């Protein structure tokens, strides 16, 4: 009985946070690297960014769903290999909700900065390439701020 | 990521549940929370709501202030 903490798997909510963070880093990172190569090769007004951005958004959604499922299966297999299998726990409790609220506050702060920046860009009447990509950058930073604060809270405390 | 976040709320959950031969999983199941939440409370990384604190005390069959203690600022 006193061996309770010999092995403590992550909660379902924490696993989802890790998957989401990895997916945002991967997809947004890939998109901005691609965009940088386009800036190096073409004038800004010739860059067709809309479709790649939509593909990035779609890929983020699909990869988060697939990653969450694979993470659950992989975790169970890993635990099975080490003989520590536990029933997956998808309970969401008050601590998860407190951590979610914390993450939302961090994301909101980043998004607010993004909205202010968007207003400034619109007032300056800049090309939609800058506005669209600024908004996407703000969303990506907001998502990462959310994930980092949630994982930190799961590890260090709320 | 550094040490646990400090809190002035301490508790005797581990001691009391050991006396009653309850595991963290037992308490988590009775309260409908994750075992990780019970661990976080025991380690002082999460201060539960008043409602959950009462529920924990009830499961441990102990008065609330036997389970949870609050240190004043001067004590810390």
């Amino acid at each position: 009985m006193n061996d309770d903490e010999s092995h403590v798997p992550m909660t379902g909510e924490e696993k989802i946070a890790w998957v989401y963070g990895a997916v945002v880093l991967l997809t947004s990172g890939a998109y901005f690297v691609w965009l940088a190569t386009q800036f190096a090769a073409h004038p800004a007004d010739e860059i067709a960014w809309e479709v790649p951005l939509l593909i990035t958004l779609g890929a983020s959604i699909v990869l988060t769903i697939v990653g969450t499922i694979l993470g659950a299966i992989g975790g169970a297999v890993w635990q099975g290999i080490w003989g520590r299998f536990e029933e997956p726990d998808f309970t969401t409790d008050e601590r998860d909700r407190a951590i979610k609220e914390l993450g939302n506050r961090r994301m909101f702060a980043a998004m607010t900065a993004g909205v202010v920046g968007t207003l400034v860009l619109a007032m300056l009447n800049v090309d939609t390439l800058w506005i669209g990509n600024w908004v996407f950058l703000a969303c990506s930073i907001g998502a990462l701020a959310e994930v980092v604060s949630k994982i930190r809270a799961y590890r260090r405390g709320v | 990521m550094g040490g646990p976040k400090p809190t002035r709320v301490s508790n005797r959950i581990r001691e009391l549940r050991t006396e009653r031969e309850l595991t963290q999983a037992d308490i988590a199941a009775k309260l409908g929370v994750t075992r990780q939440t019970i661990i976080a409370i025991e380690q002082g990384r999460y201060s539960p709501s008043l409602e959950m604190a009462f529920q924990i005390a009830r499961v441990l069959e102990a008065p609330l202030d036997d389970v949870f203690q609050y240190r004043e600022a001067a004590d810390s």
Side-chain angles (χ1 to χ4, degrees):
Chain A
M1 193 190 78
N2 292 327
D3 197 30
D4 272 344
E5 287 159 46
S6 59
H7 176 64
V8 185
M10 280 187 249
T11 61
E13 292 289 328
E14 188 181 352
K15 278 182 194 164
I16 291 170
W18 278 102
V19 169
Y20 183 53
V23 167
V24 169
L25 268 181
L26 180 73
T27 55
S28 297
Y31 174 78
F32 285 113
V33 167
W34 170 83
L35 191 63
T37 63
Q38 295 301 300
F39 274 118
H42 308 284
D45 58 357
E46 289 179 14
I47 298 173
W49 57 277
E50 296 89 343
V51 172
L53 183 53
L54 286 173
I55 291 171
T56 304
L57 291 173
S60 296
I61 294 167
V62 171
L63 285 175
T64 300
I65 294 168
V66 172
T68 302
I69 294 168
L70 289 180
I73 295 170
V77 170
W78 182 255
Q79 288 171 17
I81 290 170
W82 293 98
R84 294 165 164 173
F85 182 73
E86 286 189 18
E87 284 289 319
D89 189 354
F90 297 107
T91 305
T92 297
D93 59 25
E94 65 168 47
R95 177 169 161 261
D96 290 310
R97 287 188 288 276
I99 290 173
K100 187 175 183 180
E101 281 172 23
L102 175 73
N104 286 345
R105 286 200 296 274
R106 298 287 182 272
M107 181 176 67
F108 185 75
M111 295 294 284
T112 301
V115 168
V116 171
T118 307
L119 280 174
V120 171
L121 290 174
M123 287 170 187
L124 294 173
N125 207 23
V126 300
D127 191 88
T128 53
L129 173 143
W130 298 104
I131 295 176
N133 284 287
W134 170 261
V135 169
F136 183 57
L137 179 65
C139 289
S140 301
I141 291 172
L144 288 175
E146 177 192 0
V147 166
V148 168
S149 63
K150 284 170 83 171
I151 290 173
R152 192 179 164 90
Y154 274 114
R155 296 283 133 182
R156 289 194 57 192
V158 188
Chain B
M1 284 191 176
K5 203 171 180 179
T7 170
R8 285 198 194 138
V9 179
S10 59
N11 66 78
R12 295 175 56 229
I13 296 175
R14 175 182 288 271
E15 184 186 333
L16 292 170
R17 73 176 172 78
T18 305
E19 286 173 11
R20 286 152 181 72
E21 298 189 345
L22 290 168
T23 64
Q24 292 161 335
D26 292 333
I27 296 177
K30 284 176 193 279
L31 300 184
V33 302
T34 61
R35 184 158 72 93
Q36 289 81 354
T37 292
I38 301 300
I39 293 169
I41 295 169
E42 277 192 0
Q43 295 178 347
R45 289 188 287 113
Y46 176 63
S47 295
S49 66
L50 191 57
E51 189 178 340
M52 192 192 283
F54 271 108
Q55 289 172 340
I56 292 170
R58 190 160 294 175
V59 168
L60 293 171
E61 298 171 337
L64 186 65
D65 56 2
D66 260 13
V67 183
F68 293 96
Q69 296 80 42
Y70 181 74
R71 282 182 292 121
E72 297 295 337
D75 299 339
S76 54

